Amino acid sequence: MGIFKIKGGLPLKGEIKPQGAKNESLQVLCSVLLTSDKLRIKNIPEIGDVKCLMQILKDLGVVINKNDIGDYTFQAKNINIEYLNTKKFREYGKSIRGSIMIAGPLLARFGKVCIPIPGGDRIGRRRLDPHLTGLKSLGSHICYHHEYKYFNLHTNNKILTGCYILMEEASVTGTANIIMAATLAKGKTTIYNAACEPYIQQLCKLLKKMGAKITGIGSNLIHITGVKELGGSCTHTILPDMVEIGSWIGLAAITCSEIRIKNVSWKNLGIIPKTFQKMGIKLEKEKDDIYIPSQESYQIKKLLNNAILTISDSPWPGLTPDLLSILTVVATQAKGSVLIHQKMFESRLFFVDKLIEMGAQIILCDPHRATVIGLNHQSHLRGAILNSPDIRAGISLLIAALSAKGTSLIKNIEQIDRGYENIDQRLRILGANILRME
């Protein structure tokens, strides 16, 4: 496993272009299975999870041609559905959670699919119920095989039938799976309490280009009228990754750095900029860029009744849970205190033990809440030997190490590589002292 060696405490400066959105990429890549025509997708990030999914698609029989960096053409004309019964697929499928999203397209087009229990970040319970319940409502039969720990889904006569689906939770990947399946289902499907993140909006826009009939895009009530087949011969460009943009903002603040983030697609960032501004971080909108000036200090704003600020995650247009780990690290050097409330996952805040070892003042109230007392750069974090437990905690610990005095080692950096493209090279361009060791 690889290791990052970081000498922290250095201010950074420069421009950075955010990578394509990881979560959108995984959804859009699965959508290529809905048609036998060619689809061109641009701004695909070269990251671990995406590479893994592309390998699954290739092994299924999808022809993939690289046009340029992050620019690929896909054609799912001759699909080997039996590949799903192989040990190789079960291993690949278990390695990333995004693999579950091939279920909807393959079930809709071929009437059957086998899916192992997917892997991904170990951040708590992540139920498959939104996926399975939705696909079952559309007419899928579901069997679970205990020996190999995989689900077998099939339909009668290769036909799914549209229906009304009330989702128990606004699952992003669950919504994507059901939408893709419903595009080829017979009749009309209505999804209520659907996720409406920009990733879902982008997926719907692509599907409409392919011939799908979808209304309600951007809301939590989506209507889909199934069609006999979808076409291709169109091009889709992935949005910039909002979570990576938030990571760069947090990095700039805690390291007192001056950074410009280029072409961020402001209209798709939601409340992310305002959330960092609540932490006292100055950022400016310059055309479609975010400019973060160097700050010696940033003060957390209190609520109107003078109570401690609480930052929590919630479904879009609320704050994405993927940024709470980064905001926790940023708060360690702020002036003031903040309560971080991670509502969705019960294990995501456990990494704060490492921040406490580095000198942060954090009280872990319970698995979902942590109170951070900012040090206002009066007492710096210390370098430490760290281990990356998941993508978001990994990048958060990397940001902490870059701000700390002394040298840090971060192990298990494959977790960071799963979600961040060439992160060490891009940091060195900004002036960071970071070395990748194998």
Side-chain angles (χ1 to χ4, degrees):
M1 295 193 297
I3 296 173
F4 281 146
K5 183 179 180 181
I6 301 140
K7 184 178 179 181
L10 303 175
L12 310 179
K13 187 175 182 178
E15 294 183 349
I16 199 78
K17 179 186 175 184
Q19 68 187 34
K22 166 184 171 285
N23 293 340
E24 180 190 339
S25 297
L26 297 176
Q27 295 172 22
V28 166
L29 287 176
C30 290
S31 73
V32 307
L33 295 168
L34 286 165
T35 177
S36 60
D37 289 351
K38 291 182 179 180
L39 283 176
R40 186 174 183 180
I41 304 173
K42 297 181 177 181
N43 202 31
I44 297 175
E46 305 279 348
I47 56 177
D49 277 15
V50 167
K51 291 176 182 178
C52 182
L53 182 57
M54 287 178 66
Q55 186 61 52
I56 290 174
L57 294 177
K58 189 174 181 180
D59 291 341
L60 268 169
V62 178
V63 177
I64 303 175
N65 293 311
K66 186 171 185 178
N67 307 308
D68 204 342
I69 296 174
D71 181 351
Y72 294 84
T73 299
F74 302 83
Q75 187 170 22
K77 189 174 183 179
N78 299 307
I79 295 299
N80 176 22
I81 202 76
E82 297 305 318
Y83 165 69
L84 301 179
N85 295 313
T86 65
K87 182 179 179 181
K88 182 179 180 182
F89 170 68
R90 285 196 292 270
E91 291 302 315
Y92 268 114
K94 286 191 294 186
S95 64
I96 61 165
R97 187 166 179 82
S99 65
I100 187 69
M101 288 186 290
I102 69 172
L106 290 177
L107 191 64
R109 189 171 162 200
F110 299 100
K112 61 180 181 179
V113 66
C114 294
I115 294 292
I117 295 177
D121 289 335
R122 296 177 180 177
I123 53 179
R125 291 173 295 176
R126 306 176 79 185
R127 302 189 306 154
L128 296 180
D129 296 46
H131 302 263
L132 299 177
T133 302
L135 295 175
K136 185 177 180 180
S137 298
L138 292 171
S140 172
H141 302 282
I142 302 172
C143 298
Y144 179 62
H145 295 264
H146 291 274
E147 183 180 356
Y148 294 109
K149 296 183 179 180
Y150 73 90
F151 291 94
N152 185 295
L153 288 74
H154 67 278
T155 63
N156 294 328
N157 302 319
K158 297 185 179 180
I159 295 175
L160 294 173
T161 304
C163 64
Y164 176 82
I165 298 173
L166 173 59
M167 299 187 69
E168 290 186 10
E169 62 178 271
S171 163
V172 177
T173 53
T175 299
N177 229 343
I178 296 167
I179 288 172
M180 288 188 282
T183 59
L184 295 178
K186 184 179 179 180
K188 184 177 180 179
T189 300
T190 297
I191 309 171
Y192 190 33
N193 194 28
C196 54
E197 273 79 353
Y199 315 132
I200 293 291
Q201 297 175 40
Q202 285 284 98
L203 173 66
C204 289
K205 290 173 184 177
L206 170 60
L207 293 172
K208 287 192 71 172
K209 285 183 190 177
M210 295 164 64
K213 296 180 179 180
I214 305 174
T215 60
I217 298 172
S219 76
N220 70 343
L221 182 62
I222 298 176
H223 302 281
I224 305 151
T225 302
V227 296
K228 284 191 174 181
E229 63 179 13
L230 293 175
S233 303
C234 57
T235 300
H236 178 81
T237 301
I238 304 288
L239 286 175
D241 194 312
M242 67 170 80
V243 180
E244 197 201 46
I245 291 166
S247 304
W248 292 117
I249 295 172
L251 172 66
I254 198 171
T255 57
C256 306
S257 299
E258 179 186 354
I259 295 177
R260 179 182 295 276
I261 312 170
K262 301 288 290 182
N263 302 320
V264 299
S265 186
W266 264 88
K267 65 180 181 179
N268 290 298
L269 293 180
I271 66 170
I272 291 173
K274 286 186 178 179
T275 302
F276 280 99
Q277 287 171 334
K278 286 180 181 178
M279 301 282 287
I281 297 166
K282 295 177 183 176
L283 52 90
E284 300 169 13
K285 183 180 186 298
E286 296 185 358
K287 294 184 179 178
D288 208 26
D289 298 351
I290 292 178
Y291 170 69
I292 307 106
S294 175
Q295 287 180 255
E296 292 294 322
S297 176
Y298 47 96
Q299 183 168 354
I300 298 171
K301 295 181 180 179
K302 290 188 176 182
L303 301 179
L304 293 177
N305 62 356
N306 209 34
I308 184 173
L309 176 68
T310 298
I311 294 179
S312 60
D313 58 321
S314 60
W316 187 268
L319 182 67
T320 170
D322 288 343
L323 277 175
L324 288 184
S325 301
I326 289 141
L327 286 161
T328 303
V329 171
V330 173
T332 64
Q333 290 298 327
K335 183 179 181 181
S337 302
V338 63
L339 175 65
I340 303 292
H341 189 179
Q342 167 62 265
K343 297 176 182 177
M344 193 170 293
F345 304 115
E346 70 273 10
S347 303
R348 203 164 220 171
L349 290 176
F350 287 166
F351 83 102
V352 301
D353 286 351
K354 295 298 181 183
L355 296 179
I356 294 169
E357 287 180 18
M358 297 175 77
Q361 293 187 349
I362 303 175
I363 301 168
L364 186 61
C365 309
D366 56 47
H368 290 274
R369 296 178 302 161
T371 300
V372 186
I373 300 94
L375 300 170
N376 194 26
H377 291 289
Q378 299 302 306
S379 176
H380 295 281
L381 299 180
R382 301 181 295 272
I385 298 175
L386 308 166
N387 190 71
S388 175
D390 62 72
I391 297 174
R392 306 309 175 190
I395 195 67
S396 301
L397 291 173
L398 176 55
I399 291 170
L402 287 164
S403 74
K405 294 295 183 182
T407 300
S408 297
L409 297 177
I410 301 180
K411 301 178 181 179
N412 196 29
I413 60 174
E414 289 77 14
Q415 290 290 335
I416 301 173
D417 289 336
R418 284 179 48 216
Y420 289 83
E421 183 178 74
N422 302 322
I423 188 65
D424 51 325
Q425 297 177 29
R426 297 160 80 200
L427 283 168
R428 281 194 289 271
I429 291 171
L430 296 176
N433 188 333
I434 178 172
L435 176 66
R436 180 186 292 264
M437 303 187 299
E438 299 298 336

